[in-house]
Amino acid sequence: MFLRQSGIHHASYSADRALFPIPFDRWAVAVLLAFGLAAPWLVSSLTLSTYLLPWIVWTTAALGLNLILGWAGQFHFGYAAIMGIGAYATVHGTRHGIPFEIAIVLGGLTAAAIGVVFSFTALRVKGLYLALSTLALQFCMDWVISHVPAISGGTQATLQAPPLKILGQGVSSETGYYYLALAWCLLVTVFMLNLKRSSLGRALVAVREKDFAAAVIGVNSFYYKLVAFATSSFIGGVTGAVLIFSFYHAVTPEQFAVNVSIEVLAMVIVGGLASIIGSFFGAAFILLMPGLMNALITWVSARLGLGLSVETLAHLPHAVYGALIIAFLLVEPMGLGKLYNNVRNYLLVWPFGYTRK
Amino acid sequence: MKTKLFSAAAGLGLALAAAAPATAQTPIKFGLCYDLSKAYTFITPQVSQAARDLAALMNLKGGIEGNPIEIVVQDHGNEPQRGIECYEKLKREGVMVFDMLSTPVSRAVLPRVMKDGNILAQSFVGRGDAVDGDVFKWVFPIGPTYWGQAANNMQYIKTRHNNSLKGVKVAFMYIDYPFGQEPIGVLKTIAQREGADLQLFPFPLPGNDQASAWTQVRRFNPDWIIMWAFSNMHVVASREIKRNGISPEKLIVVNWINETDIANIGPEAAKGMKRGVNVFSGPNHPIIQQILKELYDKNKGAGDRKFTNDTYYNNGIAIYSSLFEGVRLAIRNEKLPLTPDKIRKGLESITNFNANGMIAPVTVTAKDHGGGGKTRIEMWDGAKWVPQTDWFAGYLDIVNEVVKEQSAEFLKSNK
């Protein structure tokens, strides 16, 4: 219907390889991008600073994890630890006078270095065993942070992030923080979109499907696994730093604890493996749904005069939220991204639905 | 919208009819962003219930200087980002006093509170150096800190050993994460000064397995055991105490052991166990009795009646008594309409306030947001907690030193 393909001719290689060959997709992306850029003027400051900002930061994290989990097919249960390494490295760097722009890259590199060290296990073990060894990374980091005061910042284990300065300009407004997060999110999104059609992306997919089959067709799975871990860890590390400087303003161990790892993992799985739009949906679902559900149920109970106790009000959203996750995954086990794709595929051939069968 | 207009009109009409002085009857809002669904559920229902009961009782008597109180409770599931969401939302709804009752969330909102200039109440929990009012202008941990409590426990042990800690063996048993590690510095300094033999026995999260730590404690054979844990860890500990043949009399636990824990340990088995407390124990307190009479007897209580019998309920009454007192002083001294700055000044003028004996008398000043740091020691006699001492504070110099050191660190890192 909307996604008309008539009149699209691939006359050149570049046109054939375009990211969005269908005009409707291009328009949709343009509108979303315009909305993203104009958001500080379109939405309330509460929405901007407590929903939109964390959502795009966590989306970036989910994209980073999706690279290793969705594309390269390697389990990672310690992604929050990777983000934490980047965050701590960046905060320590800026506190020692390194400019933010350099410190954040250093943070990303530190995360990549440590991520790669742990990824050596990935070359020896697979599947659930790899999941456990990355979980070990998470617990190692938790332990190190809470037992080395030089890292955690003393007995209170809180390290304040210095005021954000980009190119010498102080950034302290909600809009500024939002644009920092948006810029990084766009950068990673564009990278991931291009990954799909690059040789690196295809090599990762080959490794994911069967690593010795990949070796047979000439893909060095050892090398590509390392690359996948390093890239994904770099994205994670920088995202961790962006999270601290744009949202938390102070770094503490529990912001990057094991439950956060599971949460990011849930974003990727609910959103859909190897799906970019799915990462956006997944992050929104996992991150924002509990709060929205909370507000909705409180509102309904106040409207109907149910007089529920504060505890029931607190627990009910979790039950509904859990049920929703199960419901969505039952409807489409491939995640929300696939759900979107189903609709899109249906519209692509509408009204000739039988052509898909 | 219509109802809003109507109520506004009605309010205006009433105000005119009564020809009262221009006291706008806008409620004074207190924002409780609590973890009601994850890690802190062993305490938050009781505390929020106490806050709402106390507010209801005050409202029956005409509120704070004629202004009604409104308690807003929202769940944040102990997740920092949801705590921030709660803070940002309530801030825009006119809440000026916030209470998070969760260490991770308090830490996460601290930078925002300091920047926006809103009151963050964190009595008995959160970072101890926040009592330094010079640095933490907007944070009010009225009551003792964990450092103060640990120092007071040492002071108590000292009085039990003819005022000398020389050679006294003290074991510090703690859950190995920041909450448990916090008192180590203070304890070590005191032990060093007094010549006490202090040894540390950490056990890992989630605290269900303490077997190896208690075996080591048995070998050390301490005269006293100070324990920093919460919730079910106390039950596990008492089992290990029994197994290792250690007398519960030697145990001084942190203030977070409550009636549920005692019931799970078994009232008889817990006999002799001691704890440091910040508040009056048990429901035989005039404020609670009044709440029972005015609210619960008329079926107007904010929750289950059995919770009023819980230590945490008393903690809630204590926290909100001092906050309401601060707001009262703010209205009396600074006049309406309230601003966070006026409330801050009100809180900073609390003098010798003990909430009818619910807490040790506190005097809050612009420099000291803690108010004295007095605690007392109680013993479980098989049926109730019996105070062993009066309110006291020991080693104030050491505690202050740690406070200054840590707050200076915060100041340095905030530049």
Side-chain angles (χ1 to χ4, degrees), chain A:
Chain A
M1 189 166 36
F2 305 109
L3 299 144
R4 287 166 65 98
Q5 294 183 87
S6 65
I8 303 171
H9 304 292
H10 301 301
S12 64
Y13 284 115
S14 61
D16 187 39
R17 292 188 53 193
L19 276 175
F20 305 107
I22 297 174
F24 178 79
D25 283 338
R26 280 201 293 274
W27 278 107
V29 167
V31 168
L32 282 176
L33 191 63
F35 173 78
L37 288 172
W41 291 272
L42 294 177
V43 300
S44 72
S45 75
L46 176 70
T47 312
L48 184 75
S49 63
T50 64
Y51 298 110
L52 224 46
L53 173 67
W55 175 45
I56 54 175
V57 180
W58 259 284
T59 297
T60 324
L63 283 172
L65 180 60
N66 220 336
L67 173 69
I68 191 82
L69 194 66
W71 266 274
Q74 308 296 312
F75 272 104
H76 205 315
F77 274 33
Y79 205 65
I82 294 290
M83 291 167 70
I85 294 165
Y88 272 99
T90 312
V91 171
H92 276 292
T94 44
R95 284 169 56 120
H96 284 91
I98 302 175
F100 174 74
E101 306 80 17
I102 301 171
I104 197 166
V105 175
L106 286 178
L109 290 176
T110 317
I114 297 178
V116 165
V117 169
F118 270 85
S119 79
F120 277 102
T121 54
L123 309 170
R124 307 285 305 173
V125 293
K126 276 182 207 154
L128 290 174
Y129 301 97
L130 173 63
L132 275 182
S133 57
T134 48
L135 201 57
L137 158 76
Q138 176 74 50
F139 287 117
C140 279
M141 290 323 298
D142 282 0
W143 193 90
V144 168
I145 291 171
S146 70
H147 284 81
V148 181
I151 296 177
S152 71
T155 55
Q156 300 298 332
T158 320
L159 207 59
Q160 305 292 317
L164 178 60
K165 264 188 185 171
I166 298 174
L167 301 174
Q169 290 294 311
V171 177
S172 64
S173 66
E174 277 165 4
T175 314
Y177 295 140
Y178 170 75
Y179 278 131
L180 169 70
L182 185 67
W184 175 239
C185 182
L186 286 179
L187 201 65
V188 173
T189 309
V190 169
F191 171 76
M192 297 294 284
L193 283 171
N194 282 292
L195 185 70
K196 269 184 168 175
R197 52 179 190 175
S198 69
S199 65
L200 171 66
R202 284 189 292 273
L204 292 181
V205 171
V207 170
R208 172 186 76 195
E209 295 304 331
K210 201 86 208 168
D211 51 1
F212 32 88
V216 169
I217 56 170
V219 174
N220 185 348
S221 68
F222 173 87
Y223 170 76
Y224 280 105
K225 278 181 187 173
L226 280 191
V227 168
F229 267 95
T231 319
S232 161
S233 301
F234 182 83
I235 294 174
V238 174
T239 309
V242 169
L243 181 64
I244 292 304
F245 278 87
S246 67
F247 188 62
Y248 283 141
H249 308 296
V251 53
T252 69
E254 63 272 345
Q255 288 162 356
F256 300 106
V258 64
N259 57 325
V260 183
S261 275
I262 304 297
E263 219 162 65
V264 185
L265 195 69
M267 287 172 192
V268 172
I269 290 171
V270 170
L273 292 172
S275 165
I276 290 165
I277 193 151
S279 299
F280 280 82
F281 289 151
F285 192 93
I286 298 294
L287 189 73
L288 305 181
M289 198 56 101
L292 292 178
M293 203 52 81
N294 206 333
L296 180 73
I297 289 179
T298 310
W299 182 80
V300 167
S301 126
R303 258 293 144 99
L304 301 178
L306 295 177
L308 298 173
S309 77
V310 283
E311 277 172 277
T312 317
L313 277 181
H315 283 103
L316 216 50
H318 289 282
V320 177
Y321 168 64
L324 270 180
I325 294 183
I326 296 173
F328 270 110
L329 289 182
L330 277 180
V331 171
E332 183 50 77
M334 301 292 283
L336 298 171
K338 185 69 169 52
L339 214 54
Y340 167 82
N341 254 338
N342 289 348
V343 174
R344 187 173 175 276
N345 287 343
Y346 173 78
L347 291 177
L348 263 180
V349 293
W350 188 88
F352 307 110
Y354 55 85
T355 53
R356 292 190 304 145
K357 295 203 174 85

Side-chain angles (χ1 to χ4, degrees), chain A residues 45-46 49-51 53-54 58 95 143 146-147 153-163 172-174 177 246-250 252-255 259 263 286-288 290-292 294-295 309-311 313-315 318, chain B residues 36-38 41 45 48 52 73-82 84-85 88-89 91-92 103-105 107-108 110-112 115 126-129 147 176-178 181-182 185 302 307 402 406 409-410 412-415:
Chain A
S45 75
L46 176 70
S49 63
T50 64
Y51 298 110
L53 173 67
W58 259 284
R95 284 169 56 120
W143 193 90
S146 70
H147 284 81
T155 55
Q156 300 298 332
T158 320
L159 207 59
Q160 305 292 317
S172 64
S173 66
E174 277 165 4
Y177 295 140
S246 67
F247 188 62
Y248 283 141
H249 308 296
T252 69
E254 63 272 345
Q255 288 162 356
N259 57 325
E263 219 162 65
I286 298 294
L287 189 73
L288 305 181
L292 292 178
N294 206 333
S309 77
V310 283
E311 277 172 277
L313 277 181
H315 283 103
H318 289 282
Chain B
L36 291 156
S37 54
K38 302 257 173 72
T41 46
S48 63
R52 292 191 301 155
V73 187
Q74 192 182 322
D75 173 47
H76 59 54
N78 203 27
E79 290 174 31
Q81 83 275 5
R82 285 184 61 199
I84 288 177
E85 176 203 325
E88 292 284 343
K89 189 169 140 223
K91 180 177 93 181
R92 288 167 173 81
T103 307
V105 174
R107 285 169 173 175
L110 183 73
R112 290 167 192 256
K115 192 180 158 205
R127 50 188 307 154
D129 54 354
W147 293 323
D176 197 9
Y177 86 123
Q181 294 158 352
E182 206 175 340
F307 281 153
V402 183
Q406 293 290 328
E409 186 61 36
F410 175 85
K412 200 171 76 189
S413 66
N414 225 17
K415 267 181 191 147

Side-chain angles (χ1 to χ4, degrees), chain B residues 290-339:
Chain B
Q290 225 174 347
I291 287 176
L292 290 175
K293 202 172 125 243
E294 297 288 337
L295 299 173
Y296 286 87
D297 286 351
K298 295 173 185 162
N299 256 337
K300 285 196 287 188
D304 201 330
R305 187 176 182 133
K306 72 168 193 261
F307 281 153
T308 56
N309 202 10
D310 194 299
T311 300
Y312 301 148
Y313 189 85
N314 294 31
N315 274 287
I317 297 285
I319 296 170
Y320 282 88
S321 296
S322 356
L323 287 177
F324 292 167
E325 172 69 5
V327 173
R328 189 183 70 79
L329 290 171
I331 297 176
R332 210 191 57 194
N333 300 343
E334 309 280 336
K335 305 285 173 287
L336 293 167
L338 280 176
T339 62

Side-chain angles (χ1 to χ4, degrees), chain B residues 352-369:
Chain B
N352 220 7
F353 175 73
N354 72 350
N356 264 346
M358 180 53 86
I359 46 174
V362 287
T363 299
V364 184
T365 62
K367 277 193 184 312
D368 177 13
H369 282 184

